[in-house]
Amino acid sequence: MTYVRMTSRSRRESHRASTPLELFFDLCFVVAVAQAGRQLVHALAEDHVGAGITGYLFVFFGVWWAWMNFTWFASAYDVDDVPYRIATLVQIAGVLIYSAGIPRAFNDNDWTICVLGYVVMRLALTVQWLRAAAGEEGPARRTALTYAIGLLVCQAGWVALLMAPEHSRRWLFMILVLVELLIPAVAERSYQTHWHPHHIAERYGLFTIIVLGETIAASTVAVQSAIDEHEALGELLPIAAGGLLLVFASWWIYFAVPAHDRLRGNREAIPWGYGHYVIFASAAAIGAGLEVAVEHAIGKAHVSALAANLAVCVPAALFLAFVWLLHSRHFKRGTAQQLVLPLTALAILACAWTGAQAVLWAGLVASAAVAVGVTLADRERSGA
């Protein structure tokens, strides 16, 4: 369609699924995720742990928040006409600009290119919200206008950040993050946009697959390059096997329960959506950790064996803990089922102290958690 009036879609719309444009949008975010992961690998391998983790969390926030803003807007207002498609493609261009600036932001605290990409993304989204306001009336119109104004105010803050003294930027960054997170709560205090529960759950699931896929790609490239340069199969195969088991188990555990059943309103959806920052960031960080473990095994990383093991085990444990916290625990019955994921997260952390086989042990523990979870669920269904 060339042009249609932008009005809210129905939450009860049947067979709502991700569109090809949304899938294309997600695919372009792989570039940004890969850039953030690559910078994390370099920082951890050089034993710049504090700066590496801080930089990674900061740049990943921009990736996650831009994706999340688009996803929830699209769930409520996707009309798939020509102006909507053009605005989305402009946002994709902003993502690619942001990705190009990640190395400078990460290593030199130079956010100029990242903020430029962010401006492109956010101005396009602001136009979308203004268009929604033009098509709505009453409370829905006020909500759309509040979103548009909030985006402009925050974007002015990000531009002003570039002119702030370098030593104060990280603190000002945190303030701007807080303001960004408050916009949805303020905008929807009297009217909730009509996002679609099944659609949102599917969109988050697809992005989880993307970041887990990036983890597989990163670890595969690292192991392959190491094999080509070094005949260290004895050290590398356990890392490769353990990493693969971790990713497989993470996928299984995330999709074990129907997340959309919990998304009845903003009271449940906002904490769930925000909490996925940790899920997405930790899933992508598993791949970075595997690269660090490989570099340590072949003598390229300037870190201890324990630090290399923790680079894998910490994000894996965080992933499992937050999957349980956000939705798995709401579907578990009985103490045994409730304890599987928390205890697994602790056990994976403990694997970091098992030496050269730590990644393999972590993968085996995660796989055992899947087996135990499936067995307990089968017993409950059968009434045993």
Side-chain angles (χ1 to χ4, degrees):
M1 294 177 288
T2 303
Y3 179 84
V4 297
R5 181 185 178 189
M6 182 176 280
T7 55
S8 183
R9 299 180 65 155
S10 172
R11 278 193 175 182
R12 295 180 176 84
E13 185 178 345
S14 59
H15 307 295
R16 180 73 188 274
S18 298
T19 66
L21 183 58
E22 287 176 317
L23 298 178
F24 185 43
F25 188 85
D26 290 356
L27 183 62
C28 292
F29 268 84
V30 172
V31 179
V33 172
Q35 282 279 20
R38 191 172 299 117
Q39 300 307 313
L40 179 61
V41 171
H42 295 331
L44 295 181
E46 295 298 323
D47 202 21
H48 303 149
V49 178
I53 293 175
T54 302
Y56 176 74
L57 293 177
F58 280 9
V59 298
F60 200 90
F61 172 82
V63 176
W64 164 75
W65 190 242
W67 177 88
M68 184 166 157
N69 278 208
F70 166 80
T71 295
W72 289 82
F73 175 85
S75 189
Y77 285 105
D78 183 358
V79 293
D80 197 31
D81 62 0
V82 171
Y84 178 87
R85 290 187 175 191
I86 291 174
T88 302
L89 294 175
V90 170
Q91 287 178 266
I92 290 175
V95 172
L96 299 179
I97 296 171
Y98 183 92
S99 302
I102 285 178
R104 287 188 178 186
F106 200 104
N107 299 313
D108 305 324
N109 200 25
D110 180 359
W111 290 85
T112 306
I113 298 177
C114 280
V115 170
L116 174 61
Y118 215 52
V119 167
V120 173
M121 287 188 284
R122 306 309 290 283
L123 288 182
L125 183 61
T126 300
V127 170
Q128 296 278 53
W129 276 115
L130 289 173
R131 188 180 169 198
E136 295 280 26
E137 297 177 350
R141 175 181 170 82
R142 288 195 297 272
T143 293
L145 286 173
T146 303
Y147 267 113
I149 293 170
L151 287 170
L152 289 174
V153 170
C154 285
Q155 199 53 58
W158 292 115
V159 173
L161 180 68
L162 298 178
M163 296 177 282
E166 187 172 342
H167 66 273
S168 65
R169 287 181 184 175
R170 294 192 182 275
W171 295 107
L172 294 174
F173 188 100
M174 296 299 296
I175 294 173
L176 285 169
V177 165
L178 179 60
V179 175
E180 290 270 15
L181 295 176
L182 287 174
I183 290 177
V186 172
E188 305 205 17
R189 65 186 183 278
S190 58
Y191 174 85
Q192 294 186 14
T193 53
H194 291 179
W195 46 267
H196 195 287
H198 286 79
H199 179 246
I200 286 294
E202 181 189 22
R203 298 290 293 116
Y204 273 72
L206 289 172
F207 201 73
T208 300
I209 290 174
I210 283 176
V211 292
L212 287 175
E214 180 61 27
T215 289
I216 291 178
S219 58
T220 300
V221 170
V223 172
Q224 183 60 57
S225 62
I227 292 175
D228 290 342
E229 298 178 14
H230 302 270
E231 300 298 329
L233 288 179
E235 293 80 10
L236 295 174
L237 286 180
I239 296 174
L244 202 59
L245 290 174
L246 273 175
V247 174
F248 288 170
S250 297
W251 170 85
W252 193 303
I253 290 168
Y254 183 90
F255 292 99
V257 294
H260 62 267
D261 287 347
R262 281 280 302 162
L263 304 181
R264 294 186 290 269
N266 284 357
R267 183 176 180 180
E268 297 84 15
I270 289 179
W272 182 87
Y274 284 8
H276 269 74
Y277 168 71
V278 180
I279 289 180
F280 292 157
S282 59
I286 293 173
L290 291 172
E291 289 194 56
V292 173
V294 168
E295 292 195 9
H296 178 268
I298 61 177
K300 284 188 174 182
H302 304 120
V303 294
S304 66
L306 176 60
N309 294 341
L310 287 171
V312 179
C313 295
V314 169
L318 282 173
F319 180 90
L320 296 183
F322 270 77
V323 168
W324 173 81
L325 181 66
L326 293 179
H327 56 257
S328 292
R329 66 189 176 91
H330 300 290
F331 298 88
K332 303 299 183 182
R333 299 292 179 267
T335 303
Q337 285 194 24
Q338 287 289 1
L339 288 177
V340 171
L341 288 185
L343 291 179
T344 300
L346 292 174
I348 287 177
L349 273 180
C351 288
W353 281 267
T354 59
Q357 306 296 313
V359 177
L360 179 59
W361 276 113
L364 291 172
V365 168
S367 301
V370 171
V372 171
V374 169
T375 301
L376 291 175
D378 282 345
R379 288 182 178 179
E380 181 190 347
R381 282 191 291 268
S382 64

